[in-house]
């Protein structure tokens, strides 16, 4: 099992839709979790950290499920500008070297 | 502006050339990274420097040679590369240094530079 797994997609959704991505991780001792966004031919940028209690930032909600070892990202009221690749990042326990997933591609169409 | 700059942004080189990639961070961070991103593959961590010391070398071929002269600058020296080394090379920095014995450092977010798109002919 890969350390961090994501469905590469693409997820094709209309504007205004709600879409959710999951990311599973194999190391149960993982300590920190993040979602990054990467636009085409650009560098990754932090979207949000994922806390045990879950966190919300506007239309974006991130959740952590330690028992099932996955994190999720929910995007409500999708905008065209949300089209990007969403990277899941997990920090394994005992190290702060982050492990990236291969990313999930989202395409929001009119 | 992310506070991390990389030069050059694009580089085309032959297999016998020697070139260097440069990264500079203006954020006062203590750790810097080199990543390789190839098409349809996840980011591959190449090197990590903490407080100017290399703490991780992820089995990278010796044709890639990193250098970290100070906490703000990171170089990646390239020589005798192969066409399969063509990729986007990303530099990143973060506030905290890596885990050290007896002390866990809570990971902070990484700030990425714009990358160098490398083509090896």
């Amino acid at each position: 099992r890969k350390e961090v797994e994501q469905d590469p997609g693409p997820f094709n959704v209309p504007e205004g839709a709600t879409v959710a991505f999951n990311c599973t991780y194999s190391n149960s001792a993982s300590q920190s979790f993040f979602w990054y966004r990467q636009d085409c031919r650009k560098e990754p940028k932090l979207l949000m950290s994922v806390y045990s209690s879950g966190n919300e930032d506007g239309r974006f909600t991130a959740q952590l499920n330690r028992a099932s070892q996955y994190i999720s990202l929910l995007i409500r009221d999708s905008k065209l500008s949300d089209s990007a690749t969403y990277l899941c990042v997990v920090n394994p326990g005992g190290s702060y070297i982050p492990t990236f997933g291969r990313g999930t591609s989202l395409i929001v169409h009119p | 502006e992310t506070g991390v700059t990389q030069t050059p942004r694009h580089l085309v080189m032959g297999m016998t050339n020697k070139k260097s990639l440069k990264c500079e961070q203006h954020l006062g961070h203590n750790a810097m990274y080199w990543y390789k991103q190839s098409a349809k593959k996840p980011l591959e961590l190449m090197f990590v420097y903490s407080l100017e010391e290399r703490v991780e070398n992820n089995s990278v071929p010796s044709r890639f040679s990193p250098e970290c002269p100070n906490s703000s600058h990171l170089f990646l020296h390239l020589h005798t590369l192969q066409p399969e080394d063509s990729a986007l090379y990303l530099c990143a920095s973060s506030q905290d240094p890596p885990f050290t014995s007896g002390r866990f450092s809570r990971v902070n977010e990484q700030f990425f530079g714009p990358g160098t798109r490398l083509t090896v002919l």
Side-chain angles (χ1 to χ4, degrees), chain A residues 31-34 36 38 40-46 49-51 87 89 91-103, chain B residues 2 31 33 35 37 40-43 45 48 56 88 90 94 96-99 104-114 117:
Chain A
Q31 301 282 342
S32 306
F33 310 87
F34 302 87
Y36 278 72
Q38 186 172 23
C40 186
R41 304 183 76 82
K42 296 286 187 69
E43 72 274 21
K45 293 185 179 179
L46 181 70
S49 303
V50 187
Y51 304 121
L87 304 171
V89 183
N91 175 39
S95 166
Y96 106 124
I97 309 300
T99 301
F100 282 75
R102 62 183 300 177
Chain B
T2 64
Y33 311 72
Y35 285 91
Q37 188 173 39
K40 300 189 185 303
K41 294 176 73 174
L43 269 75
L45 180 65
V48 182
E56 181 88 5
L88 179 67
L90 291 160
S94 64
D96 281 348
F99 172 82
F104 174 70
S105 219
R106 184 176 176 80
V107 68
N108 282 330
E109 67 176 287
Q110 292 182 305
F111 292 81
F112 285 84
R117 190 158 294 281

Side-chain angles (χ1 to χ4, degrees), chain A residues 7 18 24 36 47-48 53 85 88 103 108:
Chain A
D7 180 346
T18 295
T24 59
Y36 278 72
L47 179 64
M48 57 199 308
S53 55
T85 296
C88 166
V108 181

Side-chain angles (χ1 to χ4, degrees), chain B residues 53-68:
Chain B
E53 286 190 25
R54 189 161 74 190
V55 297
E56 181 88 5
N57 174 0
N58 230 13
S59 302
V60 178
S62 60
R63 57 186 184 269
F64 296 91
S65 173
E67 179 191 359
C68 188

Side-chain angles (χ1 to χ4, degrees), chain B residues 6-117:
Chain B
Q6 288 187 242
T7 54
R9 296 292 305 275
H10 300 272
L11 178 62
V12 179
M13 59 187 290
M15 289 190 285
T16 58
N17 292 158
K18 288 185 180 181
K19 297 286 184 184
S20 295
L21 310 184
K22 179 182 176 183
C23 175
E24 185 173 358
Q25 58 99 357
H26 315 273
L27 302 168
H29 287 171
N30 294 312
M32 297 185 77
Y33 311 72
W34 279 118
Y35 285 91
K36 174 184 178 183
Q37 188 173 39
S38 305
K40 300 189 185 303
K41 294 176 73 174
L43 269 75
E44 300 172 57
L45 180 65
M46 301 176 72
F47 300 102
V48 182
Y49 275 82
S50 165
L51 301 171
E52 303 154 46
E53 286 190 25
R54 189 161 74 190
V55 297
E56 181 88 5
N57 174 0
N58 230 13
S59 302
V60 178
S62 60
R63 57 186 184 269
F64 296 91
S65 173
E67 179 191 359
C68 188
N70 55 62
S71 60
S72 300
H73 294 84
L74 185 64
F75 294 90
L76 187 63
H77 304 300
L78 317 171
H79 63 98
T80 59
L81 294 193
Q82 305 297 312
E84 60 264 29
D85 296 322
S86 298
L88 179 67
Y89 289 84
L90 291 160
C91 173
S93 71
S94 64
Q95 180 62 56
D96 281 348
F99 172 82
T100 55
S101 177
R103 180 172 65 87
F104 174 70
S105 219
R106 184 176 176 80
V107 68
N108 282 330
E109 67 176 287
Q110 292 182 305
F111 292 81
F112 285 84
T116 295
R117 190 158 294 281

